[in-house]
């Protein structure tokens, strides 16, 4: 469709996120030193045809090759692949600002959770909302994500915690996915907390997740991944292993909320079950770091959460990268511990608080986010053939996106070649 074919000219910088070796290697997470090259091009143009990246290179050559494509000039901007936010809880009912205030007065997040607030508060709330209401509430949040440069998002269930409530959440996610333009990947997080009706009977609830919920979720084709909150006081690594093994038997990929606040063996479990990602890792062990470095499991860091709940300690991003792990960044967008849709801010935290370089932060927020969702068609990059999910930032140096923190530098977004912001 030539009408949407476009040549993007005069951008100050273009980040292709291609691999330094020219991209000839199989797709997969970028680890260790592979996280540094961002494929920085200056004075080059980007050709988008039929929703895909058709060429990157010398402007005159691209114009000669695609004379019918419409030319757009983006001087003063940096062009980059859209963010892949690979970990969110974007479907929920009401916001939980009261917990924000409680923490300021000294409460701790896991105490709030143990006292029936936190996740349980969102569960009570969500159980009273129908599918239409869930869709209506979530749609504007996805729009905010898009406006901040996210073009693919993962959304978890996990505020339902009963078969019917979880299925309703996943159906709402499916509807949002079909609406577009944001691309949505669904994850079943039935084991997010033990619901009140199973209080004191955790093992029975794990049985319900394994025997009742996973088969129905898989049968309905309602999720691509299954996730478990492995944390002292929530679910054990053994619970997680049972759930994720069952999930794999039903064709679902695995993800783990691993060692978020305290060590619970989550990273080790993620590697053992071949999970696509181990997420959070605020309290990951040395063994966990080694195991991740030697695996295909992406270490997805969510610095917004530890920042927002007031922790001084962040996940050991520098050590993970240096050990050779593949690090991704995501928002963990949720009403309790990370109420933000802004991936640019995650990059700022990664650089300012976790010792990642601006280049590593870009790789983590794009190509490695795609790897954490097991996307293998060039998502999170602008290499030839990749989906044309492109963002323009109103800065002249890509490092400014993370550096000038807390602001939205995104001024245009193309999803599959179509301008959506
Ligand atoms: O990733 N850790 C568990 N889940 C979320 C918190 C969700 C909530 O507080 O509602 C997290 O931090
Ligand atoms: Fe989370």
């Amino acid at each position: 469709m030539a009408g949407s074919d476009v040549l993007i000219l005069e951008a100050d910088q273009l980040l292709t996120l291609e691999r330094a070796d020219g991209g000839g290697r199989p797709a997969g997470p970028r680890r260790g030193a592979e996280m540094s090259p961002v494929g920085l091009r200056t004075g080059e143009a980007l050709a988008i045809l039929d929703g895909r990246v058709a060429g990157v290179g010398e402007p005159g050559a691209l114009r000669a090759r695609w004379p019918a494509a419409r030319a757009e000039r983006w001087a003063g901007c940096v062009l980059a692949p859209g963010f892949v936010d690979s970990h969110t809880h974007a479907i929920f009912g009401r916001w939980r600002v009261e917990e924000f205030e409680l923490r300021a007065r000294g409460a701790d997040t896991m105490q709030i959770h143990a006292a029936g607030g936190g996740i349980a508060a969102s569960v009570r709330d969500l159980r009273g909302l129908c599918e239409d209401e869930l869709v209506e509430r979530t749609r504007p949040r996805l729009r905010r994500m898009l406006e901040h440069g996210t073009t693919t998002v993962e959304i978890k269930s996990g505020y339902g915690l009963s078969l019917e409530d979880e299925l309703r959440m996943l159906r709402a996610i499916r509807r949002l996915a079909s609406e577009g333009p944001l691309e949505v990947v669904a994850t079943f997080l039935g084991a997010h907390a033990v619901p009140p009706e199973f209080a004191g009977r955790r093992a029975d609830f794990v049985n319900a997740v394994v025997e009742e919920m996973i088969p129905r979720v898989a049968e309905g084709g309602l999720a691509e991944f299954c996730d478990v909150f492995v944390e002292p006081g929530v679910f054990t690594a053994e619970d997680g292993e049972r759930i994720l093994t069952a999930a794999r038997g039903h064709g679902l990929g695995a993800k783990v909320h691993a060692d978020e606040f305290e060590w619970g063996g989550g990273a080790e479990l993620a590697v053992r079950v071949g999970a696509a990602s181990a997420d959070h890792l605020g309290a990951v062990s040395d063994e966990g770091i080694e195991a991740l470095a030697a695996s295909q499991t992406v270490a997805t860091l969510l610095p917004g959460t530890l920042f927002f709940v007031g922790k001084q300690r962040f996940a050991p991003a520098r050590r993970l990268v240096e050990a050779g792990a593949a690090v991704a960044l995501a928002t963990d967008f949720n009403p309790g511990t990370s109420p933000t849709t802004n991936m640019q801010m995650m990059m700022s935290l990664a650089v300012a608080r976790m010792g990642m370089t601006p280049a590593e932060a870009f790789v983590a927020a794009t190509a490695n986010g795609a790897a954490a969702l097991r996307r293998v068609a060039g998502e999170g990059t602008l290499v030839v053939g990749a989906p044309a999910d492109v963002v323009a930032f109103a800065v002249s140096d890509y490092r400014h996106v993370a550096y000038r923190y807390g602001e939205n530098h995104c001024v245009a977004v193309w999803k599959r070649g179509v301008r959506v912001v």
Side-chain angles (χ1 to χ4, degrees):
M1 190 182 58
S4 64
D5 295 347
V6 50
L7 276 184
I8 298 184
L9 305 169
E10 294 175 19
D12 292 21
Q13 296 181 339
L14 197 56
L15 305 189
T16 65
L17 276 287
E18 72 210 305
R19 288 175 186 267
D21 59 13
R25 295 182 36 196
R30 232 165 270 196
R31 57 185 64 259
E34 294 172 342
M35 288 185 61
S36 287
V38 289
L40 177 63
R41 312 282 193 104
T42 48
E44 295 195 11
L46 173 74
I48 299 175
L49 276 94
D50 294 325
R52 301 217 157 246
V53 175
V56 180
E58 203 274 306
L62 264 53
R63 296 195 82 150
R65 187 154 171 213
W66 292 290
R70 186 168 37 85
E72 292 189 13
R73 282 173 182 76
W74 287 88
C77 289
V78 168
L79 270 285
F83 295 123
V84 179
D85 190 350
S86 63
H87 181 140
T88 85
H89 307 255
I91 293 228
F92 54 87
R94 64 174 182 82
W95 297 93
R96 302 199 325 249
V97 68
E98 66 282 0
E99 291 172 23
F100 181 44
E101 186 164 347
L102 280 174
R103 271 193 300 270
R105 295 177 189 281
D108 174 81
T109 295
M110 290 311 280
Q111 280 168 2
I112 293 173
H113 179 74
I119 295 167
S122 283
V123 172
R124 284 192 296 277
D125 173 28
L126 184 131
R127 286 180 171 181
L129 299 173
C130 69
E131 189 182 313
D132 285 346
E133 287 167 321
L134 293 178
V135 170
E136 294 304 321
R137 284 180 199 220
T138 307
R139 192 183 289 122
R141 298 172 192 149
L142 300 191
R143 183 72 207 167
R144 303 274 302 165
M145 289 185 172
L146 203 63
E147 287 165 356
H148 285 82
T150 296
T151 48
T152 298
V153 65
E154 181 253 24
I155 307 179
K156 300 173 195 297
S157 67
Y159 291 132
L161 307 185
S162 73
L163 176 63
E164 282 315 317
D165 293 305
E166 286 290 304
L167 291 177
R168 190 166 71 260
M169 277 190 93
L170 290 167
R171 282 190 214 106
I173 295 173
R174 182 164 67 186
R175 267 174 59 186
L176 291 159
S178 69
E179 286 180 9
L182 193 58
E183 195 169 324
V184 176
V185 176
T187 295
F188 168 62
L189 176 56
H192 195 193
V194 176
E197 60 277 18
F198 280 89
R201 296 189 296 126
R202 195 186 82 238
D204 292 341
F205 181 63
V206 171
N207 283 338
V209 170
V210 167
E211 286 159 19
E212 196 189 341
M213 298 191 206
I214 288 173
R216 287 288 303 277
V217 168
E219 184 187 292
L222 286 166
E224 236 178 275
F225 295 97
C226 179
D227 193 347
V228 185
F229 187 13
V230 173
E231 185 82 11
V234 191
F235 293 99
T236 65
E238 290 70 35
D239 297 334
E241 186 146 2
R242 253 200 90 200
I243 290 167
L244 297 176
T245 305
R248 186 178 53 203
H250 285 273
L252 300 178
K255 288 182 165 285
V256 182
H257 273 71
D259 312 318
E260 177 171 355
F261 300 112
E262 284 176 59
W263 180 81
E268 292 87 337
L269 164 70
V271 172
R272 210 158 54 239
V273 300
S277 66
D279 302 36
H280 282 295
L281 304 173
V284 64
S285 66
D286 293 346
E287 292 75 18
I289 293 175
E290 289 309 315
L292 286 164
S295 75
Q296 290 296 313
T297 300
V298 175
T300 299
L301 308 184
L302 311 160
T305 306
L306 292 171
F307 161 75
F308 188 73
V309 303
K311 302 286 179 194
Q312 303 306 318
R313 195 173 54 141
F314 284 77
R318 196 69 252 144
R319 284 179 58 209
L320 282 159
V321 173
E322 251 128 56
V327 173
L329 288 168
T331 59
D332 195 21
F333 175 51
N334 76 73
T337 63
S338 191
T340 183
T341 54
N342 186 354
M343 284 289 281
Q344 298 161 62
M345 181 68 190
M346 301 306 108
M347 289 171 46
S348 301
L349 290 171
V351 178
R353 305 307 300 273
M354 297 200 298
M356 292 174 77
T357 65
E360 288 168 343
F362 248 109
V363 172
T366 56
N368 275 359
L373 297 178
R374 294 265 160 97
R375 284 338 194 226
V376 293
E379 289 89 345
T381 76
L382 296 179
V383 300
V384 171
D389 297 350
V390 187
V391 176
F393 298 104
V395 294
S396 292
D397 175 330
Y398 77 89
R399 296 173 301 176
H400 281 224
V401 175
Y403 161 60
R404 283 153 60 187
Y405 79 98
E407 300 203 10
N408 184 13
H409 301 286
C410 169
V411 289
V413 178
W414 293 259
K415 180 65 189 173
R416 306 255 161 181
V418 176
R419 180 84 179 271
V420 291
V421 171

